[in-house]
Amino acid sequence: MKYITLRGKSSRFSFQIHARGLIITIIAMLSLFVLSLASISYGSMYIPMKDVFSVLILGVDNPTYEMVVMNLRLPRLLMALMIGASLGVAGLMLQAVIRNPLASPELLGVNGGGSAAAVTFITLTSGSLSIHWLPLVAISGALITAILIYLFAWKDGISPYRLILIGLGISTAAGSITMYMLVAGPSFLATQIITWMTGSVYGLSMDYVWTLLPWFVVFMSLSFFMTRHLNAQVLGDATASSVGQSVERYRLLILFISVALAGSAVGMSGPIAFVGLIAPHIARSLIGPMHGWLIPLSASIGGMLLVGADYIGRLLFQPTEIPAGVFTAVLGAPFFIYLLLQNRKQL
Amino acid sequence: MSILASTRSKWIVLLLGIALLGAASLCSLLFGLERFTLATLWNSFTAFDNSREHLLIQTVRVPATLIAITVGASFAIAGAILQAMTRNPLADSSLLGINSGSSMFIVLAISVLQIDMGTQEVIWVSFIGASVIAIFIMAIGSIGSEGNMPIRITLAGSAVTALASSVTSGVMVYDNFTMDQALFWLTGSVSGRTMAHWMSVAPYVAIGLIIALAMARAINVMAMGNDVAKGLGQRTLFVKFCCLFTVILLAGGSVALAGPIAFIGLMIPHMCRSLVGQDHVWLFPYCAIAGAILLIGADTVSRFILGGEYVPVGVITAFLGVPFLIVIARRKILR
């Protein structure tokens, strides 16, 4: 049974669902759910599963548990979920549009630009302006960087490797803006910024969750509307335009959504590396290039990676916490080298 | 191809460069948050009287200037050697991850082995870090097609950099003590180090510079490609080994001294090549002088940017280097 066919009584609607895609996506979401519960339950303080449920669903009875779950672990988990999912989907869309397995938000300077904008914002305002501006600031930073990179890399079209190399350069420049802010800013912010620069969901409150949520919902839904266009884009410019797509317009639109997703995520957590690279690769190797399922699957896998990295970072060196970004980098850099060697023929 | 065609013009410009370097050093010694007169400077050397001015000059300005000269020259020559070795116009110890790799090793060593910043051990750790990364990158470069080697090693370098900087900041978050020591050094800075630091690194760098100059002709041959070099009777493996050794001495030593200062090894060789052409016999001295001038200049300017607050010089070189990177990426290596 490769497809499940759904058909209305009077044939008003009729469509097929790819069985493997459906099953694997459901499995991924279930695992993500289990991992999330585990990350709420375990930590420096163990909270039994039934108490987790009673706090989350019934509310009440144990104020300590409620404080730990509602104020510390839940917001952190939700942030990790949203940020991981955003990065996973952003990476998926970039890899489809640029048609290069090595493309990812950090290589294209989106992470660097978003972070530089966010750090500049934090330093210059020193907390006098609300964090609700942060996603907007980070998205603008990421967009400006992306536009710069696209313009500089444009030379009778876009070559993926030129794009990546120039992305590298612009990221370095953005990184030095961040460093400059770190040194120029008040020293009480330095520790905070250093933690943040490694990429971490440490200490994010419910306030951050509500701040990021609208952006996440809007751009994630937009990405689902891009499914058909992503499927066309991966076929190459010629085929995409012959199936009736206005290639350049959709490429820009998809890039915009991708940059906005990654930018808003990075503005909250700092530059978390390699999630946007790894998640789409795992997803594609599981179900192949069908973007209808790849989007939810990449999102779940991205979420799993970040929730997992944060979880390990919390447990491994108790009581000190290691930023999640360290683990994604330790995992991601060898994976990147592996991809590099895999693609050495075209490379 | 090159602007300076005749040997005489090359000599003249080289001497002008040395004069400029002298003038830049003088500016670096005299100007900053505090300004000194030439007489004070002179007296601090000849008749040191423990006054505040003399102490400032001798313990702050003189080391900063010497370190800027040493580090600027080293990174520039290391970049030129790497570019010849890999035949990659984008090769540079910072882009290939060597700088951030040795920084990671240093920060790890400080945190795990509890050694002090600026001791002899740090230099050796830095050399080990530089060797590990350099050998790794060269190995990646040798797998796969020769034509795509430049992009492959640059991308591998970017992955190493990403990993190294994540681990570095992870350690710093884990170990707050390390952070205070390392933060300023990590952004790339020639100030805040003492004469003793410079003295402990200088011999290694000097050896590196001497080997580089001695190898200049062999590097000319190597830059023509492996097959040609072999055909001309060169022991290519030996030459490559010597080159790598030199790069490790120069880049590793400089990182131990001043942190991972980016892009000097990218900018300077390209600028110098347009002046004197491909001949490394001329290229190396030019690179050394131009690199030193650049870093002294950047350091002196950095004292004024924030008015009082010191800007790490690495921030400035990163900004200067990016346009170069863009131009090179647009121009050469992509067919």
Side-chain angles (χ1 to χ4, degrees):
Chain A
M1 184 182 65
K2 202 167 178 211
Y3 290 98
I4 302 165
T5 309
L6 292 182
R7 197 168 280 138
K9 264 201 182 124
S10 53
S11 297
R12 280 276 173 71
F13 68 93
S14 160
F15 57 90
Q16 289 184 312
I17 296 173
H18 192 269
R20 190 181 160 82
L22 177 69
I23 293 166
I24 289 184
T25 307
I26 289 175
I27 293 175
M29 286 182 162
L30 282 179
S31 337
L32 180 58
F33 185 67
V34 173
L35 183 64
S36 307
L37 283 183
S39 90
I40 289 190
S41 170
Y42 292 95
S44 49
M45 170 182 173
Y46 171 67
I47 301 177
M49 213 47 106
K50 69 170 173 41
D51 291 312
V52 171
F53 277 111
S54 72
V55 168
L56 281 183
I57 297 163
L58 309 172
V60 275
D61 75 6
N62 190 331
T64 325
Y65 284 171
E66 187 175 359
M67 207 284 282
V68 171
V69 171
M70 298 310 275
N71 292 354
L72 300 175
R73 292 197 188 158
L74 187 66
R76 192 166 170 169
L77 170 72
L78 291 175
M79 288 306 280
L81 282 176
M82 284 197 280
I83 291 164
S86 301
L87 290 174
V89 172
L92 175 73
M93 300 212 282
L94 283 179
Q95 284 167 13
V97 169
I98 299 172
R99 274 176 239 123
N100 188 302
L102 298 178
S104 66
E106 62 274 2
L107 274 186
L108 294 179
V110 173
N111 286 6
S115 320
V119 170
T120 310
F121 175 78
I122 296 171
T123 314
L124 291 187
T125 63
S126 304
S128 61
L129 265 174
S130 152
I131 56 145
H132 297 290
W133 291 98
L134 208 51
L136 192 65
V137 169
I139 291 179
S140 321
L143 267 182
I144 292 170
T145 325
I147 291 169
L148 275 180
I149 292 170
Y150 207 80
L151 286 180
F152 282 128
W154 183 273
K155 190 180 176 187
D156 312 322
I158 289 288
S159 137
Y161 290 114
R162 191 164 55 229
L163 197 63
I164 290 175
L165 285 176
I166 287 177
L168 218 65
I170 304 271
S171 304
T172 314
S176 58
I177 293 183
T178 313
M179 271 299 180
Y180 176 78
M181 287 297 159
L182 187 65
V183 177
S187 52
F188 69 91
L189 283 175
T191 321
Q192 196 189 332
I193 294 177
I194 278 270
T195 316
W196 189 85
M197 267 167 51
T198 330
S200 141
V201 285
Y202 172 76
L204 296 179
S205 63
M206 224 46 196
D207 216 14
Y208 283 88
V209 176
W210 296 123
T211 308
L212 181 60
L213 192 64
W215 301 91
F216 177 75
V217 170
V218 167
F219 287 110
M220 207 41 115
S221 341
L222 274 178
S223 72
F224 276 97
F225 283 109
M226 290 297 121
T227 306
R228 285 184 306 131
H229 306 299
L230 284 169
N231 281 335
Q233 284 278 342
V234 282
L235 297 174
D237 286 2
T239 318
S241 60
S242 69
V243 298
Q245 193 193 34
S246 37
V247 177
E248 203 61 48
R249 190 195 303 163
Y250 278 105
R251 178 181 297 147
L252 285 178
L253 185 58
I254 293 170
L255 279 176
F256 169 73
I257 298 172
S258 166
V259 167
L261 271 175
S264 56
V266 158
M268 294 312 216
S269 64
I272 288 180
F274 294 117
V275 172
L277 178 81
I278 306 173
H281 276 282
I282 299 179
R284 255 196 312 271
S285 72
L286 287 173
I287 60 170
M290 302 179 303
H291 288 87
W293 289 115
L294 276 178
I295 292 176
L297 190 57
S298 300
S300 321
I301 294 175
M304 261 193 267
L305 283 171
L306 198 52
V307 172
D310 182 46
Y311 192 35
I312 299 173
R314 239 171 31 175
L315 295 183
L316 205 58
F317 293 102
Q318 280 187 45
T320 314
E321 306 209 358
I322 304 293
V326 175
F327 292 99
T328 62
V330 167
L331 201 64
F335 185 75
F336 180 84
I337 303 276
Y338 163 77
L339 286 177
L340 203 60
L341 294 178
Q342 282 281 300
N343 293 284
R344 65 176 183 265
K345 291 271 155 50
Q346 309 105 31
L347 206 68
Chain B
M1 187 85 176
S2 57
I3 296 171
L4 308 173
S6 69
T7 310
R8 214 179 80 200
S9 63
K10 284 175 186 167
W11 272 115
I12 292 171
V13 174
L14 189 68
L15 292 175
L16 281 177
I18 293 172
L20 190 60
L21 177 59
S25 313
L26 205 59
C27 289
S28 155
L29 288 170
L30 293 179
F31 301 127
L33 206 52
E34 304 248 348
R35 291 175 187 222
F36 305 109
T37 57
L38 268 176
T40 326
L41 180 67
W42 181 253
N43 284 334
S44 83
F45 281 99
T46 53
F48 187 74
D49 60 0
N50 267 322
S51 66
R52 212 175 75 74
E53 284 84 7
H54 287 188
L55 271 173
L56 260 178
I57 289 177
Q58 288 298 328
T59 59
V60 177
R61 293 285 169 80
V62 173
T65 307
L66 284 176
I67 289 173
I69 292 175
T70 315
V71 170
S74 304
F75 276 136
I77 289 188
I81 296 177
L82 281 170
Q83 285 168 20
M85 253 180 102
T86 61
R87 307 179 75 198
N88 173 3
L90 278 177
D92 161 42
S93 56
S94 59
L95 271 176
L96 297 189
I98 297 175
N99 290 5
S100 46
S102 9
S103 320
M104 174 181 77
F105 273 73
I106 293 177
V107 170
L108 274 175
I110 294 176
S111 171
V112 178
L113 307 175
Q114 303 288 329
I115 56 177
D116 260 347
M117 204 64 224
T119 49
Q120 199 73 18
E121 287 93 333
V122 167
I123 301 166
W124 286 102
V125 172
S126 182
F127 287 147
I128 294 170
S131 330
V132 170
I133 305 297
I135 290 168
F136 175 70
I137 295 286
M138 292 301 152
I140 298 263
S142 65
I143 305 169
S145 70
E146 173 124 1
N148 291 312
M149 195 250 266
I151 296 174
R152 204 164 52 241
I153 60 174
T154 312
L155 289 179
S158 80
V160 170
T161 307
L163 174 67
S165 53
S166 275
V167 172
T168 305
S169 17
V171 172
M172 286 169 60
V173 171
Y174 179 72
D175 196 343
N176 274 317
F177 164 73
T178 316
M179 195 182 106
D180 301 331
Q181 267 193 324
L183 179 57
F184 218 68
W185 164 81
L186 262 181
T187 53
S189 143
V190 297
S191 69
R193 319 308 312 273
T194 62
M195 206 61 188
H197 290 145
W198 180 75
M199 296 282 262
S200 60
V201 175
Y204 301 105
V205 170
I207 294 171
L209 291 176
I210 291 168
I211 301 179
L213 287 175
M215 300 263 301
R217 277 175 209 285
I219 291 174
N220 280 342
V221 176
M222 184 181 72
M224 286 190 266
N226 218 5
D227 294 342
V228 178
K230 265 202 183 114
L232 289 169
Q234 188 178 58
R235 283 174 293 170
T236 51
L237 208 63
F238 174 73
V239 173
K240 285 208 163 127
F241 173 79
C242 288
C243 284
L244 213 53
F245 181 70
T246 316
V247 167
I248 289 163
L249 282 182
L250 292 175
S254 299
V255 170
L257 197 53
I261 296 180
F263 289 149
I264 293 180
L266 181 74
M267 292 184 265
I268 296 296
H270 282 280
M271 279 154 66
C272 293
R273 224 173 273 131
S274 68
L275 272 179
V276 294
Q278 301 287 342
D279 185 358
H280 289 85
V281 175
W282 283 104
L283 193 57
F284 284 155
Y286 267 78
C287 280
I289 290 167
I293 293 175
L294 177 82
L295 201 53
I296 288 189
D299 180 49
T300 310
V301 169
S302 77
R303 294 172 196 165
F304 295 98
I305 292 181
L306 258 190
E309 198 106 37
Y310 179 82
V311 183
V313 74
V315 171
I316 298 175
T317 60
F319 256 84
L320 292 175
V322 171
F324 270 83
L325 180 69
I326 290 171
V327 169
I328 298 163
R330 282 176 68 87
R331 187 177 52 190
K332 276 182 183 156
I333 51 173
L334 292 148
R335 291 130 302 151

